[in-house]
Amino acid sequence: MLTFKLCKDYIDQNFHKICSVKEVSNACCVTPQYITKLFLKYWTMPPHKYLMKVKLNTAADHLLTSTLSVSQIALEVGFRDPFHFSNCFKKKHGLSPKQYRSKYMSVIS
């Protein structure tokens, strides 16, 4: 359980610079397979999906609380390619980042 918490906390604190579970495993001194086993035992999804969820949920928050461009937000949460970011965002949230911002900013205002 402690190793799982260490790995999850590492993702939570460093998601913006992590590109793969292998980076997490190296930082936490365990194998990628072991991290996957821990996440499946103690969490509801494998680590790569958790990492993506953290990145995309943070991006959604930034879209509603900042004036940064979509490309800037993509970089902030750790995506090198804004097009890949937009595709992943749309798969998770059902809207492109620009559509998401337009739709939910009008609700907040």
Side-chain angles (χ1 to χ4, degrees):
M1 183 70 163
L2 289 175
T3 304
F4 164 74
K5 183 166 173 26
L6 175 72
C7 295
K8 183 180 174 300
D9 289 348
Y10 183 81
I11 291 171
D12 290 340
Q13 295 166 10
N14 299 285
F15 67 89
H16 58 280
K17 61 184 179 183
I18 300 170
C19 294
S20 71
V21 174
K22 186 168 175 70
E23 292 175 46
V24 179
S25 71
N26 289 341
C28 298
C29 301
V30 295
T31 66
Q33 296 83 1
Y34 188 60
I35 290 175
T36 299
K37 185 177 179 179
L38 291 173
F39 266 77
L40 292 174
K41 182 175 182 177
Y42 296 112
W43 204 249
T44 58
M45 63 189 70
H48 68 280
K49 287 190 177 183
Y50 179 71
L51 173 61
M52 187 63 69
K53 178 182 175 180
V54 171
K55 287 178 183 252
L56 295 174
N57 285 347
T58 302
D61 288 342
H62 286 339
L63 286 165
L64 301 181
T65 60
S66 77
T67 58
L68 294 173
S69 71
V70 171
S71 294
Q72 290 170 315
I73 291 171
L75 290 173
E76 288 273 322
V77 299
F79 282 86
R80 295 181 190 142
D81 180 359
F83 296 107
H84 179 61
F85 164 71
S86 290
N87 287 335
C88 292
F89 190 92
K90 188 169 186 175
K91 281 181 189 174
K92 174 158 180 32
H93 293 285
L95 299 167
S96 72
K98 287 182 183 179
Q99 291 168 332
Y100 185 90
R101 179 178 264 168
S102 294
K103 179 177 181 176
Y104 293 107
M105 283 302 286
S106 64
V107 172
I108 293 173
S109 301

